Amino acid sequence: MRTFSIPKKHLLYNVRKYYRKSDIGMDEGNLTTRTWEDELKAEFAEEIPTAQALTQSELARLLPAVLTREECKKLLEYYQDDETNGPRNKLIIRVFYATGVRIAEIAELRFCDIFWDTKLVFVRGGKGEKDRYACIDGRTLEMIKNFQSSLGQGLEAKIFDISDRQIRRVVEKAGDETGIAAKYTAMGRVFSPHSFRHSFATHCYENGMRIFTLKKILGHEYIGTTEIYINTATNYDSMEYERSNPFLTESQAQRKL
């Protein structure tokens, strides 16, 4: 049986065609006042200091600085269980990376929002006051369950029960102490809790998640916002470069194919 490969540009054309209503601010006939420019600014304002002063076309050309997988691992391991609030702080970073939720959303998460059997998280009142579901992995669920048991809290209790500002301090301390925040400052970007959202999206896309699914999980209204992560995903670029870079001889490159 013959198989055919579809060029990426054609796939993206079909994505945009499929979401044509969303691209002009329409969602099943309901007009929204949230423009693509608004969504881009909300998504990248924390990482790009000049974002609020940029136009839509200027924003669309910029990329957020995405944490590497090794950097994420260092941040996940920064807080220790035997420290004061160590289990809580470790879980905060874990949930950010596992789900891609925003800081205001994680602050509102309650134990009743966790669906243990289906591995889902109910995210209430996200951007645009829209509810949605996010996915979560089994290991993070286990950590949440253990944390709930240690607190003795009921279903209605907030998981972390601290303010947005306190959550931000937890993340920024880990970034400062590991030296990761300084790296991104030098790049003209800002390390923040939102950095995990960009890393979540990029790494999920690299691992094979469909752009449609990613858009839904992130709560984006415009597919153009989600498409930015096509350009931050570089694992296949690195793999192809490794087997075809100009320092290889022709015979070496052929052996790597």
Side-chain angles (χ1 to χ4, degrees):
M1 181 182 295
R2 295 185 65 187
T3 59
F4 299 89
S5 60
I6 303 175
K8 182 184 286 188
K9 65 179 181 180
H10 293 162
L11 287 173
L12 293 184
Y13 169 77
N14 289 330
V15 166
R16 292 192 180 99
K17 184 178 179 182
Y18 185 82
Y19 277 96
R20 60 190 180 276
K21 290 182 179 179
S22 180
D23 284 342
I24 60 172
M26 297 291 288
D27 184 9
E28 298 300 324
N30 295 321
L31 186 64
T32 176
T33 58
R34 184 175 170 81
T35 66
W36 186 30
E37 183 173 335
D38 292 335
E39 185 166 88
L40 285 171
K41 287 183 177 181
E43 200 64 76
F44 302 117
E46 285 199 34
E47 285 70 35
I48 303 173
T50 59
Q52 291 299 335
L54 299 178
T55 65
Q56 176 180 301
S57 60
E58 289 171 332
L59 280 167
R61 291 196 294 268
L62 297 179
L63 294 178
V66 175
L67 300 167
T68 67
R69 295 173 192 253
E70 186 61 33
E71 287 171 337
C72 288
K73 182 180 178 182
K74 287 181 181 178
L75 292 163
L76 287 165
E77 296 175 348
Y78 174 74
Y79 288 104
Q80 302 301 311
D81 290 335
D82 56 357
E83 299 174 345
T84 302
N85 294 322
R88 181 200 69 189
N89 296 343
K90 178 184 287 188
L91 185 58
I92 286 172
I93 291 178
R94 178 91 186 192
V95 172
F96 269 127
Y97 187 43
T99 64
V101 295
R102 304 175 177 93
I103 187 169
E105 296 166 346
I106 201 174
E108 291 299 319
L109 283 181
R110 302 174 187 273
F111 289 109
C112 61
D113 296 329
I114 307 299
F115 289 77
W116 309 98
D117 53 342
T118 55
K119 297 182 180 178
L120 293 172
V121 176
F122 178 66
V123 182
R124 63 184 74 248
K127 288 291 184 181
E129 299 301 317
K130 289 186 177 181
D131 298 336
R132 71 180 190 280
Y133 285 96
C135 300
I136 192 167
D137 66 290
R139 173 58 184 148
T140 305
L141 282 177
E142 183 181 340
M143 292 172 67
I144 293 174
K145 186 171 290 187
N146 292 339
F147 185 61
Q148 183 182 16
S149 297
S150 70
L151 296 176
Q153 295 283 10
L155 289 173
E156 73 287 348
K158 289 184 177 181
I159 296 178
F160 300 113
D161 200 23
I162 57 177
S163 67
D164 294 20
R165 182 176 295 180
Q166 289 171 299
I167 292 173
R168 184 179 298 278
R169 286 174 181 166
V170 167
V171 174
E172 289 179 347
K173 179 182 179 183
D176 290 339
E177 295 294 325
T178 57
I180 292 172
K183 170 190 172 181
Y184 288 97
T185 299
M187 290 176 63
R189 298 293 185 266
V190 178
F191 171 77
S192 73
H194 214 78
S195 301
F196 286 106
R197 182 170 165 87
H198 298 312
S199 305
F200 163 86
T202 300
H203 298 161
C204 283
Y205 185 75
E206 287 180 339
N207 287 349
M209 183 177 286
R210 298 180 311 147
I211 200 75
F212 301 118
T213 305
L214 191 57
K215 174 184 180 292
K216 184 178 178 181
I217 290 175
L218 292 172
H220 287 160
E221 176 132 13
Y222 298 90
I223 194 67
T225 307
T226 318
E227 285 177 358
I228 287 174
Y229 298 113
I230 294 174
N231 293 317
T232 59
T234 58
N235 61 334
Y236 290 111
D237 301 336
S238 299
M239 288 168 57
E240 289 202 20
Y241 180 82
E242 185 64 27
R243 65 171 180 256
S244 58
N245 71 74
F247 296 103
L248 297 175
T249 64
E250 188 173 351
S251 60
Q252 287 174 325
Q254 289 296 322
R255 286 197 296 269
K256 288 178 176 287
L257 293 177

